[in-house]
Amino acid sequence: MDMMKQFSLEGKVALITGAAYGIGFAIAEAYAACGAKIAFNCRGEKHMEEALKAYAEKGIDAHGYYCDVTNEEDVVKMVADIEKELGTIDILVNNAGIIKRIPMIEMEAKDFRQVIDIDLTAPFIVSKAVIPGMIKKGHGKIINICSMMSELGRETVSAYAAAKGGLKMLTRNICSEYGEYNIQCNGIGPGYIATPQTAPLRERQPDGSRHPFDQFIVAKTPAARWGTTDDLMGPAVFLASDASNFVNGHVLYVDGGILAYIGKQP
Ligand code: NAP
Ligand code: GCO
């Protein structure tokens, strides 16, 4: 068995949603390094320009598409354009996501719905658009970016936790419904990763001290550090490659051990 080939993505077409920066960008970079053709989307012109420049600086020929993943018409058109320009999508990473940190009883229903729309309904919409091509092709990999909040709650993130818990179950359902077509659908559950999304939780205090939440997370993580987007690259390649062809409906937590640990005594 050629084990290196098991992890190759040579010639595969990968769509990573919301990959202008952050975790999605790192996953796209990893896939490109393993030979995949990269398609990504974002909503704004500024982010698109900056992303294409950043990919080019890394020698990656990434194809960017303007698309709001909550808009089914936009998504269907984006998938058709990708299939025309690059070929049928072999790998889909449902990465695009937002969070709103608001105490539940202060949160307006429209804010709750927006988080559910982007973090849960959109992975449904994009997967629904991509699966028919995977069935025709005889294989496919879908990777949903879940979260610690697929397993745990915490104050102020009710909408996000509901969405990410639902995304774990959508992952299991796609596995159940399309496994017979050689489509593997798994999740990655990142721990606390240093990206723009978590920047508010790591901000220095006015007196220069570390944010209390920053200190809490480091104490709660056996690895005693925040994760970086690099920490997710290997697990993402594994779940996109032939090395995981019999892994299905699984959420791989890449959290430095948070879920296994009661936390360091203060
Ligand atoms: P981020 O830095 O905020 O990036 C989010 C990405 O999603 C951006 O590219 C954003 O693009 C895109 N996006 C948001 N809404 C969109 C929409 N409606 N249509 C298209 N694109 C949209 O977040 P991140 O930290 O990289 O997180 C990426 C994923 O990992 C998210 O699903 C997040 O929930 C999850 N996650 C993050 C962590 C963490 O600690 N950072 C941990 C666990 C899970 P625009 O420029 O268009 O806004
Ligand atoms: C928060 C954080 C987390 C991380 C991630 C953890 O406010 O608690 O943003 O939700 O983003 O989802 O896995």
PDB file of all heavy atoms in Angstrom, residues 18-24 41-44 47 67-70 95-98 118-119 145-148 160 164 190-198, ligand 1:
ATOM      1  N   GLY A  18     -16.127  30.201   2.642  1.00  0.00           N
ATOM      2  CA  GLY A  18     -15.611  31.188   3.589  1.00  0.00           C
ATOM      3  C   GLY A  18     -14.130  31.091   3.798  1.00  0.00           C
ATOM      4  O   GLY A  18     -13.637  31.186   4.920  1.00  0.00           O
ATOM      5  N   ALA A  19     -13.370  30.877   2.715  1.00  0.00           N
ATOM      6  CA  ALA A  19     -11.923  30.620   2.860  1.00  0.00           C
ATOM      7  C   ALA A  19     -11.083  31.806   2.397  1.00  0.00           C
ATOM      8  O   ALA A  19      -9.982  31.638   1.856  1.00  0.00           O
ATOM      9  CB  ALA A  19     -11.548  29.360   2.099  1.00  0.00           C
ATOM     10  N   ALA A  20     -11.593  33.005   2.603  1.00  0.00           N
ATOM     11  CA  ALA A  20     -10.792  34.198   2.277  1.00  0.00           C
ATOM     12  C   ALA A  20      -9.711  34.415   3.329  1.00  0.00           C
ATOM     13  O   ALA A  20      -8.690  35.054   3.064  1.00  0.00           O
ATOM     14  CB  ALA A  20     -11.697  35.424   2.211  1.00  0.00           C
ATOM     15  N   TYR A  21      -9.933  33.897   4.520  1.00  0.00           N
ATOM     16  CA  TYR A  21      -8.948  34.010   5.607  1.00  0.00           C
ATOM     17  C   TYR A  21      -9.320  32.987   6.680  1.00  0.00           C
ATOM     18  O   TYR A  21     -10.203  32.160   6.471  1.00  0.00           O
ATOM     19  CB  TYR A  21      -8.934  35.439   6.173  1.00  0.00           C
ATOM     20  CG  TYR A  21     -10.293  35.999   6.511  1.00  0.00           C
ATOM     21  CD1 TYR A  21     -10.882  35.804   7.750  1.00  0.00           C
ATOM     22  CD2 TYR A  21     -11.020  36.732   5.555  1.00  0.00           C
ATOM     23  CE1 TYR A  21     -12.139  36.321   8.057  1.00  0.00           C
ATOM     24  CE2 TYR A  21     -12.274  37.249   5.854  1.00  0.00           C
ATOM     25  CZ  TYR A  21     -12.821  37.045   7.090  1.00  0.00           C
ATOM     26  OH  TYR A  21     -14.078  37.540   7.376  1.00  0.00           O
ATOM     27  N   GLY A  22      -8.608  33.010   7.794  1.00  0.00           N
ATOM     28  CA  GLY A  22      -8.962  32.152   8.925  1.00  0.00           C
ATOM     29  C   GLY A  22      -8.755  30.669   8.662  1.00  0.00           C
ATOM     30  O   GLY A  22      -7.876  30.264   7.888  1.00  0.00           O
ATOM     31  N   ILE A  23      -9.605  29.870   9.295  1.00  0.00           N
ATOM     32  CA  ILE A  23      -9.468  28.409   9.218  1.00  0.00           C
ATOM     33  C   ILE A  23      -9.629  27.916   7.781  1.00  0.00           C
ATOM     34  O   ILE A  23      -8.871  27.064   7.304  1.00  0.00           O
ATOM     35  CB  ILE A  23     -10.495  27.740  10.159  1.00  0.00           C
ATOM     36  CG1 ILE A  23     -10.073  27.940  11.621  1.00  0.00           C
ATOM     37  CG2 ILE A  23     -10.696  26.261   9.824  1.00  0.00           C
ATOM     38  CD1 ILE A  23     -11.083  27.498  12.649  1.00  0.00           C
ATOM     39  N   GLY A  24     -10.609  28.502   7.061  1.00  0.00           N
ATOM     40  CA  GLY A  24     -10.848  28.071   5.679  1.00  0.00           C
ATOM     41  C   GLY A  24      -9.639  28.274   4.798  1.00  0.00           C
ATOM     42  O   GLY A  24      -9.296  27.405   3.985  1.00  0.00           O
ATOM     43  N   ASN A  41     -15.169  30.768  -1.651  1.00  0.00           N
ATOM     44  CA  ASN A  41     -16.105  31.878  -1.832  1.00  0.00           C
ATOM     45  C   ASN A  41     -15.979  32.863  -0.670  1.00  0.00           C
ATOM     46  O   ASN A  41     -15.517  32.516   0.429  1.00  0.00           O
ATOM     47  CB  ASN A  41     -17.537  31.363  -1.903  1.00  0.00           C
ATOM     48  CG  ASN A  41     -18.019  30.934  -0.544  1.00  0.00           C
ATOM     49  OD1 ASN A  41     -17.532  29.935  -0.007  1.00  0.00           O
ATOM     50  ND2 ASN A  41     -18.895  31.711   0.057  1.00  0.00           N
ATOM     51  N   CYS A  42     -16.389  34.074  -0.929  1.00  0.00           N
ATOM     52  CA  CYS A  42     -16.622  35.030   0.156  1.00  0.00           C
ATOM     53  C   CYS A  42     -17.628  36.041  -0.377  1.00  0.00           C
ATOM     54  O   CYS A  42     -18.087  35.914  -1.517  1.00  0.00           O
ATOM     55  CB  CYS A  42     -15.333  35.675   0.659  1.00  0.00           C
ATOM     56  SG  CYS A  42     -14.612  36.863  -0.435  1.00  0.00           S
ATOM     57  N   ARG A  43     -17.967  37.028   0.469  1.00  0.00           N
ATOM     58  CA  ARG A  43     -19.068  37.917   0.069  1.00  0.00           C
ATOM     59  C   ARG A  43     -18.553  39.262  -0.438  1.00  0.00           C
ATOM     60  O   ARG A  43     -19.144  39.887  -1.290  1.00  0.00           O
ATOM     61  CB  ARG A  43     -20.005  38.151   1.249  1.00  0.00           C
ATOM     62  CG  ARG A  43     -20.773  36.910   1.674  1.00  0.00           C
ATOM     63  CD  ARG A  43     -21.497  37.128   2.970  1.00  0.00           C
ATOM     64  NE  ARG A  43     -20.559  37.268   4.086  1.00  0.00           N
ATOM     65  CZ  ARG A  43     -20.958  37.394   5.343  1.00  0.00           C
ATOM     66  NH1 ARG A  43     -22.249  37.436   5.652  1.00  0.00           N
ATOM     67  NH2 ARG A  43     -20.072  37.484   6.316  1.00  0.00           N
ATOM     68  N   GLY A  44     -17.444  39.725   0.136  1.00  0.00           N
ATOM     69  CA  GLY A  44     -17.048  41.104  -0.162  1.00  0.00           C
ATOM     70  C   GLY A  44     -15.868  41.206  -1.118  1.00  0.00           C
ATOM     71  O   GLY A  44     -14.972  40.366  -1.129  1.00  0.00           O
ATOM     72  N   HIS A  47     -12.325  41.513   0.696  1.00  0.00           N
ATOM     73  CA  HIS A  47     -11.806  40.217   1.162  1.00  0.00           C
ATOM     74  C   HIS A  47     -11.383  39.342  -0.029  1.00  0.00           C
ATOM     75  O   HIS A  47     -10.383  38.630   0.048  1.00  0.00           O
ATOM     76  CB  HIS A  47     -12.859  39.493   1.994  1.00  0.00           C
ATOM     77  CG  HIS A  47     -13.001  40.064   3.380  1.00  0.00           C
ATOM     78  ND1 HIS A  47     -14.120  39.889   4.137  1.00  0.00           N
ATOM     79  CD2 HIS A  47     -12.155  40.826   4.135  1.00  0.00           C
ATOM     80  CE1 HIS A  47     -13.958  40.498   5.313  1.00  0.00           C
ATOM     81  NE2 HIS A  47     -12.779  41.064   5.333  1.00  0.00           N
ATOM     82  N   CYS A  67     -20.150  34.645  -3.290  1.00  0.00           N
ATOM     83  CA  CYS A  67     -21.355  33.868  -2.968  1.00  0.00           C
ATOM     84  C   CYS A  67     -21.677  33.966  -1.483  1.00  0.00           C
ATOM     85  O   CYS A  67     -20.810  33.730  -0.641  1.00  0.00           O
ATOM     86  CB  CYS A  67     -21.146  32.401  -3.348  1.00  0.00           C
ATOM     87  SG  CYS A  67     -22.548  31.351  -2.929  1.00  0.00           S
ATOM     88  N   ASP A  68     -22.899  34.337  -1.176  1.00  0.00           N
ATOM     89  CA  ASP A  68     -23.406  34.268   0.206  1.00  0.00           C
ATOM     90  C   ASP A  68     -23.996  32.874   0.365  1.00  0.00           C
ATOM     91  O   ASP A  68     -24.949  32.521  -0.325  1.00  0.00           O
ATOM     92  CB  ASP A  68     -24.492  35.338   0.409  1.00  0.00           C
ATOM     93  CG  ASP A  68     -25.040  35.322   1.825  1.00  0.00           C
ATOM     94  OD1 ASP A  68     -25.071  34.226   2.439  1.00  0.00           O
ATOM     95  OD2 ASP A  68     -25.435  36.382   2.326  1.00  0.00           O
ATOM     96  N   VAL A  69     -23.428  32.087   1.243  1.00  0.00           N
ATOM     97  CA  VAL A  69     -23.820  30.664   1.324  1.00  0.00           C
ATOM     98  C   VAL A  69     -25.255  30.474   1.810  1.00  0.00           C
ATOM     99  O   VAL A  69     -25.782  29.373   1.745  1.00  0.00           O
ATOM    100  CB  VAL A  69     -22.852  29.858   2.223  1.00  0.00           C
ATOM    101  CG1 VAL A  69     -21.493  29.680   1.551  1.00  0.00           C
ATOM    102  CG2 VAL A  69     -22.700  30.473   3.605  1.00  0.00           C
ATOM    103  N   THR A  70     -25.907  31.534   2.281  1.00  0.00           N
ATOM    104  CA  THR A  70     -27.308  31.378   2.706  1.00  0.00           C
ATOM    105  C   THR A  70     -28.259  31.536   1.526  1.00  0.00           C
ATOM    106  O   THR A  70     -29.447  31.274   1.663  1.00  0.00           O
ATOM    107  CB  THR A  70     -27.693  32.432   3.774  1.00  0.00           C
ATOM    108  OG1 THR A  70     -27.585  33.749   3.193  1.00  0.00           O
ATOM    109  CG2 THR A  70     -26.792  32.342   4.990  1.00  0.00           C
ATOM    110  N   ASN A  95     -17.184  25.519   5.797  1.00  0.00           N
ATOM    111  CA  ASN A  95     -16.398  26.254   6.795  1.00  0.00           C
ATOM    112  C   ASN A  95     -17.009  27.606   7.149  1.00  0.00           C
ATOM    113  O   ASN A  95     -16.886  28.064   8.293  1.00  0.00           O
ATOM    114  CB  ASN A  95     -14.974  26.449   6.240  1.00  0.00           C
ATOM    115  CG  ASN A  95     -14.197  27.467   7.043  1.00  0.00           C
ATOM    116  OD1 ASN A  95     -13.704  27.176   8.132  1.00  0.00           O
ATOM    117  ND2 ASN A  95     -14.078  28.684   6.520  1.00  0.00           N
ATOM    118  N   ALA A  96     -17.651  28.272   6.184  1.00  0.00           N
ATOM    119  CA  ALA A  96     -18.182  29.631   6.431  1.00  0.00           C
ATOM    120  C   ALA A  96     -19.036  29.630   7.693  1.00  0.00           C
ATOM    121  O   ALA A  96     -19.832  28.708   7.912  1.00  0.00           O
ATOM    122  CB  ALA A  96     -19.012  30.085   5.238  1.00  0.00           C
ATOM    123  N   GLY A  97     -18.829  30.620   8.531  1.00  0.00           N
ATOM    124  CA  GLY A  97     -19.626  30.655   9.760  1.00  0.00           C
ATOM    125  C   GLY A  97     -19.443  31.963  10.501  1.00  0.00           C
ATOM    126  O   GLY A  97     -18.459  32.670  10.302  1.00  0.00           O
ATOM    127  N   ILE A  98     -20.438  32.265  11.329  1.00  0.00           N
ATOM    128  CA  ILE A  98     -20.350  33.467  12.177  1.00  0.00           C
ATOM    129  C   ILE A  98     -20.700  33.080  13.607  1.00  0.00           C
ATOM    130  O   ILE A  98     -21.216  31.987  13.858  1.00  0.00           O
ATOM    131  CB  ILE A  98     -21.313  34.588  11.703  1.00  0.00           C
ATOM    132  CG1 ILE A  98     -22.781  34.156  11.868  1.00  0.00           C
ATOM    133  CG2 ILE A  98     -21.007  35.031  10.287  1.00  0.00           C
ATOM    134  CD1 ILE A  98     -23.766  35.323  11.776  1.00  0.00           C
ATOM    135  N   ILE A 118     -26.541  30.842   8.691  1.00  0.00           N
ATOM    136  CA  ILE A 118     -25.185  30.737   8.127  1.00  0.00           C
ATOM    137  C   ILE A 118     -24.484  29.464   8.600  1.00  0.00           C
ATOM    138  O   ILE A 118     -23.843  28.759   7.806  1.00  0.00           O
ATOM    139  CB  ILE A 118     -24.356  31.982   8.488  1.00  0.00           C
ATOM    140  CG1 ILE A 118     -24.968  33.243   7.841  1.00  0.00           C
ATOM    141  CG2 ILE A 118     -22.887  31.808   8.073  1.00  0.00           C
ATOM    142  CD1 ILE A 118     -24.352  34.545   8.290  1.00  0.00           C
ATOM    143  N   ASP A 119     -24.626  29.134   9.875  1.00  0.00           N
ATOM    144  CA  ASP A 119     -23.832  28.040  10.440  1.00  0.00           C
ATOM    145  C   ASP A 119     -24.454  26.656  10.270  1.00  0.00           C
ATOM    146  O   ASP A 119     -23.771  25.639  10.408  1.00  0.00           O
ATOM    147  CB  ASP A 119     -23.590  28.301  11.935  1.00  0.00           C
ATOM    148  CG  ASP A 119     -22.707  29.524  12.173  1.00  0.00           C
ATOM    149  OD1 ASP A 119     -22.429  30.262  11.201  1.00  0.00           O
ATOM    150  OD2 ASP A 119     -22.316  29.765  13.323  1.00  0.00           O
ATOM    151  N   ILE A 145     -17.329  22.019   9.441  1.00  0.00           N
ATOM    152  CA  ILE A 145     -16.533  22.577  10.533  1.00  0.00           C
ATOM    153  C   ILE A 145     -17.449  22.832  11.722  1.00  0.00           C
ATOM    154  O   ILE A 145     -18.211  23.805  11.741  1.00  0.00           O
ATOM    155  CB  ILE A 145     -15.784  23.853  10.113  1.00  0.00           C
ATOM    156  CG1 ILE A 145     -14.946  23.580   8.873  1.00  0.00           C
ATOM    157  CG2 ILE A 145     -14.908  24.337  11.276  1.00  0.00           C
ATOM    158  CD1 ILE A 145     -13.854  22.503   9.029  1.00  0.00           C
ATOM    159  N   CYS A 146     -17.372  21.897  12.667  1.00  0.00           N
ATOM    160  CA  CYS A 146     -18.202  21.958  13.864  1.00  0.00           C
ATOM    161  C   CYS A 146     -17.487  22.798  14.924  1.00  0.00           C
ATOM    162  O   CYS A 146     -16.887  23.817  14.577  1.00  0.00           O
ATOM    163  CB  CYS A 146     -18.515  20.526  14.340  1.00  0.00           C
ATOM    164  SG  CYS A 146     -19.493  19.571  13.143  1.00  0.00           S
ATOM    165  N   SER A 147     -17.551  22.369  16.183  1.00  0.00           N
ATOM    166  CA  SER A 147     -17.012  23.242  17.236  1.00  0.00           C
ATOM    167  C   SER A 147     -17.045  22.531  18.583  1.00  0.00           C
ATOM    168  O   SER A 147     -17.743  21.524  18.745  1.00  0.00           O
ATOM    169  CB  SER A 147     -17.898  24.498  17.313  1.00  0.00           C
ATOM    170  OG  SER A 147     -17.773  25.163  18.558  1.00  0.00           O
ATOM    171  N   MET A 148     -16.323  23.083  19.570  1.00  0.00           N
ATOM    172  CA  MET A 148     -16.502  22.616  20.953  1.00  0.00           C
ATOM    173  C   MET A 148     -17.987  22.722  21.307  1.00  0.00           C
ATOM    174  O   MET A 148     -18.519  21.951  22.082  1.00  0.00           O
ATOM    175  CB  MET A 148     -15.730  23.514  21.936  1.00  0.00           C
ATOM    176  CG  MET A 148     -14.246  23.489  21.794  1.00  0.00           C
ATOM    177  SD  MET A 148     -13.555  21.961  22.439  1.00  0.00           S
ATOM    178  CE  MET A 148     -13.449  21.010  20.956  1.00  0.00           C
ATOM    179  N   TYR A 160     -25.131  29.898  18.393  1.00  0.00           N
ATOM    180  CA  TYR A 160     -23.964  29.224  17.803  1.00  0.00           C
ATOM    181  C   TYR A 160     -23.924  27.765  18.244  1.00  0.00           C
ATOM    182  O   TYR A 160     -23.710  26.862  17.431  1.00  0.00           O
ATOM    183  CB  TYR A 160     -22.702  29.960  18.254  1.00  0.00           C
ATOM    184  CG  TYR A 160     -21.403  29.492  17.669  1.00  0.00           C
ATOM    185  CD1 TYR A 160     -20.985  29.914  16.421  1.00  0.00           C
ATOM    186  CD2 TYR A 160     -20.564  28.639  18.394  1.00  0.00           C
ATOM    187  CE1 TYR A 160     -19.772  29.501  15.891  1.00  0.00           C
ATOM    188  CE2 TYR A 160     -19.355  28.215  17.871  1.00  0.00           C
ATOM    189  CZ  TYR A 160     -18.963  28.651  16.625  1.00  0.00           C
ATOM    190  OH  TYR A 160     -17.757  28.225  16.108  1.00  0.00           O
ATOM    191  N   LYS A 164     -24.136  24.594  15.812  1.00  0.00           N
ATOM    192  CA  LYS A 164     -23.016  23.650  15.718  1.00  0.00           C
ATOM    193  C   LYS A 164     -23.414  22.260  16.235  1.00  0.00           C
ATOM    194  O   LYS A 164     -22.892  21.248  15.759  1.00  0.00           O
ATOM    195  CB  LYS A 164     -21.795  24.185  16.473  1.00  0.00           C
ATOM    196  CG  LYS A 164     -21.185  25.433  15.831  1.00  0.00           C
ATOM    197  CD  LYS A 164     -20.668  25.187  14.403  1.00  0.00           C
ATOM    198  CE  LYS A 164     -19.910  26.391  13.888  1.00  0.00           C
ATOM    199  NZ  LYS A 164     -19.351  26.203  12.531  1.00  0.00           N
ATOM    200  N   PRO A 190     -12.872  22.107  15.820  1.00  0.00           N
ATOM    201  CA  PRO A 190     -11.682  22.803  16.331  1.00  0.00           C
ATOM    202  C   PRO A 190     -11.898  23.221  17.783  1.00  0.00           C
ATOM    203  O   PRO A 190     -13.026  23.533  18.178  1.00  0.00           O
ATOM    204  CB  PRO A 190     -11.548  24.025  15.411  1.00  0.00           C
ATOM    205  CG  PRO A 190     -12.434  23.726  14.231  1.00  0.00           C
ATOM    206  CD  PRO A 190     -13.521  22.857  14.752  1.00  0.00           C
ATOM    207  N   GLY A 191     -10.840  23.269  18.548  1.00  0.00           N
ATOM    208  CA  GLY A 191     -10.904  23.855  19.893  1.00  0.00           C
ATOM    209  C   GLY A 191     -10.927  25.365  19.746  1.00  0.00           C
ATOM    210  O   GLY A 191     -11.592  25.905  18.862  1.00  0.00           O
ATOM    211  N   TYR A 192     -10.203  26.062  20.630  1.00  0.00           N
ATOM    212  CA  TYR A 192     -10.140  27.510  20.516  1.00  0.00           C
ATOM    213  C   TYR A 192      -8.931  27.895  19.673  1.00  0.00           C
ATOM    214  O   TYR A 192      -7.797  27.657  20.073  1.00  0.00           O
ATOM    215  CB  TYR A 192     -10.133  28.135  21.919  1.00  0.00           C
ATOM    216  CG  TYR A 192     -11.535  28.190  22.486  1.00  0.00           C
ATOM    217  CD1 TYR A 192     -12.131  27.057  23.044  1.00  0.00           C
ATOM    218  CD2 TYR A 192     -12.299  29.343  22.375  1.00  0.00           C
ATOM    219  CE1 TYR A 192     -13.429  27.087  23.512  1.00  0.00           C
ATOM    220  CE2 TYR A 192     -13.614  29.383  22.843  1.00  0.00           C
ATOM    221  CZ  TYR A 192     -14.168  28.254  23.403  1.00  0.00           C
ATOM    222  OH  TYR A 192     -15.466  28.295  23.843  1.00  0.00           O
ATOM    223  N   ILE A 193      -9.216  28.453  18.504  1.00  0.00           N
ATOM    224  CA  ILE A 193      -8.203  28.722  17.499  1.00  0.00           C
ATOM    225  C   ILE A 193      -8.035  30.242  17.333  1.00  0.00           C
ATOM    226  O   ILE A 193      -9.030  30.980  17.324  1.00  0.00           O
ATOM    227  CB  ILE A 193      -8.611  28.109  16.138  1.00  0.00           C
ATOM    228  CG1 ILE A 193      -9.062  26.644  16.293  1.00  0.00           C
ATOM    229  CG2 ILE A 193      -7.485  28.248  15.113  1.00  0.00           C
ATOM    230  CD1 ILE A 193      -8.020  25.649  16.717  1.00  0.00           C
ATOM    231  N   ALA A 194      -6.817  30.686  17.202  1.00  0.00           N
ATOM    232  CA  ALA A 194      -6.540  32.126  17.062  1.00  0.00           C
ATOM    233  C   ALA A 194      -6.848  32.582  15.634  1.00  0.00           C
ATOM    234  O   ALA A 194      -6.052  32.376  14.710  1.00  0.00           O
ATOM    235  CB  ALA A 194      -5.077  32.406  17.399  1.00  0.00           C
ATOM    236  N   THR A 195      -8.034  33.149  15.459  1.00  0.00           N
ATOM    237  CA  THR A 195      -8.455  33.694  14.168  1.00  0.00           C
ATOM    238  C   THR A 195      -9.217  34.997  14.444  1.00  0.00           C
ATOM    239  O   THR A 195      -9.500  35.318  15.599  1.00  0.00           O
ATOM    240  CB  THR A 195      -9.426  32.755  13.427  1.00  0.00           C
ATOM    241  OG1 THR A 195     -10.697  32.775  14.149  1.00  0.00           O
ATOM    242  CG2 THR A 195      -8.895  31.342  13.346  1.00  0.00           C
ATOM    243  N   PRO A 196      -9.625  35.725  13.382  1.00  0.00           N
ATOM    244  CA  PRO A 196     -10.421  36.934  13.627  1.00  0.00           C
ATOM    245  C   PRO A 196     -11.679  36.655  14.447  1.00  0.00           C
ATOM    246  O   PRO A 196     -12.109  37.478  15.246  1.00  0.00           O
ATOM    247  CB  PRO A 196     -10.776  37.406  12.213  1.00  0.00           C
ATOM    248  CG  PRO A 196      -9.647  36.918  11.375  1.00  0.00           C
ATOM    249  CD  PRO A 196      -9.229  35.606  11.973  1.00  0.00           C
ATOM    250  N   GLN A 197     -12.247  35.455  14.318  1.00  0.00           N
ATOM    251  CA  GLN A 197     -13.495  35.163  15.024  1.00  0.00           C
ATOM    252  C   GLN A 197     -13.306  35.161  16.542  1.00  0.00           C
ATOM    253  O   GLN A 197     -14.200  35.542  17.284  1.00  0.00           O
ATOM    254  CB  GLN A 197     -14.043  33.811  14.549  1.00  0.00           C
ATOM    255  CG  GLN A 197     -15.468  33.526  14.979  1.00  0.00           C
ATOM    256  CD  GLN A 197     -15.568  32.317  15.897  1.00  0.00           C
ATOM    257  OE1 GLN A 197     -14.822  32.236  16.880  1.00  0.00           O
ATOM    258  NE2 GLN A 197     -16.455  31.406  15.586  1.00  0.00           N
ATOM    259  N   THR A 198     -12.119  34.750  16.986  1.00  0.00           N
ATOM    260  CA  THR A 198     -11.910  34.698  18.441  1.00  0.00           C
ATOM    261  C   THR A 198     -11.043  35.849  18.947  1.00  0.00           C
ATOM    262  O   THR A 198     -10.707  35.905  20.139  1.00  0.00           O
ATOM    263  CB  THR A 198     -11.222  33.364  18.832  1.00  0.00           C
ATOM    264  OG1 THR A 198     -10.022  33.222  18.047  1.00  0.00           O
ATOM    265  CG2 THR A 198     -12.141  32.177  18.626  1.00  0.00           C
TER     266      THR A 198
HETATM  267  P1  NAP B   1     -13.599  33.856  10.606  1.00  0.00           P
HETATM  268  O1  NAP B   1     -12.161  34.195  10.711  1.00  0.00           O
HETATM  269  O2  NAP B   1     -14.649  34.770  11.165  1.00  0.00           O
HETATM  270  O3  NAP B   1     -13.955  33.532   9.064  1.00  0.00           O
HETATM  271  C1  NAP B   1     -15.260  33.195   8.754  1.00  0.00           C
HETATM  272  C2  NAP B   1     -15.356  33.084   7.253  1.00  0.00           C
HETATM  273  O4  NAP B   1     -16.715  32.791   6.911  1.00  0.00           O
HETATM  274  C3  NAP B   1     -14.976  34.363   6.540  1.00  0.00           C
HETATM  275  O5  NAP B   1     -14.225  34.072   5.390  1.00  0.00           O
HETATM  276  C4  NAP B   1     -16.325  34.942   6.138  1.00  0.00           C
HETATM  277  O6  NAP B   1     -16.229  35.663   4.959  1.00  0.00           O
HETATM  278  C5  NAP B   1     -17.118  33.679   5.883  1.00  0.00           C
HETATM  279  N1  NAP B   1     -18.571  33.891   5.929  1.00  0.00           N
HETATM  280  C6  NAP B   1     -19.315  34.253   6.990  1.00  0.00           C
HETATM  281  N2  NAP B   1     -20.609  34.315   6.633  1.00  0.00           N
HETATM  282  C7  NAP B   1     -20.680  34.004   5.310  1.00  0.00           C
HETATM  283  C8  NAP B   1     -21.741  33.901   4.365  1.00  0.00           C
HETATM  284  N3  NAP B   1     -23.004  34.150   4.714  1.00  0.00           N
HETATM  285  N4  NAP B   1     -21.441  33.549   3.103  1.00  0.00           N
HETATM  286  C9  NAP B   1     -20.154  33.314   2.739  1.00  0.00           C
HETATM  287  N5  NAP B   1     -19.094  33.384   3.585  1.00  0.00           N
HETATM  288  C10 NAP B   1     -19.373  33.735   4.862  1.00  0.00           C
HETATM  289  O7  NAP B   1     -13.859  32.455  11.321  1.00  0.00           O
HETATM  290  P2  NAP B   1     -12.871  31.241  11.608  1.00  0.00           P
HETATM  291  O8  NAP B   1     -12.390  31.345  13.010  1.00  0.00           O
HETATM  292  O9  NAP B   1     -11.911  31.077  10.486  1.00  0.00           O
HETATM  293  O10 NAP B   1     -13.939  30.052  11.597  1.00  0.00           O
HETATM  294  C11 NAP B   1     -14.219  29.333  10.430  1.00  0.00           C
HETATM  295  C12 NAP B   1     -15.181  28.235  10.833  1.00  0.00           C
HETATM  296  O11 NAP B   1     -14.641  27.509  11.942  1.00  0.00           O
HETATM  297  C13 NAP B   1     -16.533  28.778  11.316  1.00  0.00           C
HETATM  298  O12 NAP B   1     -17.557  27.877  10.924  1.00  0.00           O
HETATM  299  C14 NAP B   1     -16.387  28.744  12.846  1.00  0.00           C
HETATM  300  O13 NAP B   1     -17.647  28.631  13.483  1.00  0.00           O
HETATM  301  C15 NAP B   1     -15.576  27.512  13.022  1.00  0.00           C
HETATM  302  N6  NAP B   1     -14.817  27.406  14.260  1.00  0.00           N
HETATM  303  C16 NAP B   1     -13.935  28.388  14.626  1.00  0.00           C
HETATM  304  C17 NAP B   1     -13.197  28.200  15.807  1.00  0.00           C
HETATM  305  C18 NAP B   1     -12.199  29.209  16.300  1.00  0.00           C
HETATM  306  O14 NAP B   1     -11.792  29.090  17.477  1.00  0.00           O
HETATM  307  N7  NAP B   1     -11.785  30.178  15.498  1.00  0.00           N
HETATM  308  C19 NAP B   1     -13.360  27.043  16.562  1.00  0.00           C
HETATM  309  C20 NAP B   1     -14.302  26.103  16.160  1.00  0.00           C
HETATM  310  C21 NAP B   1     -15.005  26.287  15.002  1.00  0.00           C
HETATM  311  P3  NAP B   1     -16.784  37.185   4.798  1.00  0.00           P
HETATM  312  O15 NAP B   1     -15.550  37.953   4.572  1.00  0.00           O
HETATM  313  O16 NAP B   1     -17.705  37.113   3.637  1.00  0.00           O
HETATM  314  O17 NAP B   1     -17.479  37.539   6.088  1.00  0.00           O
END
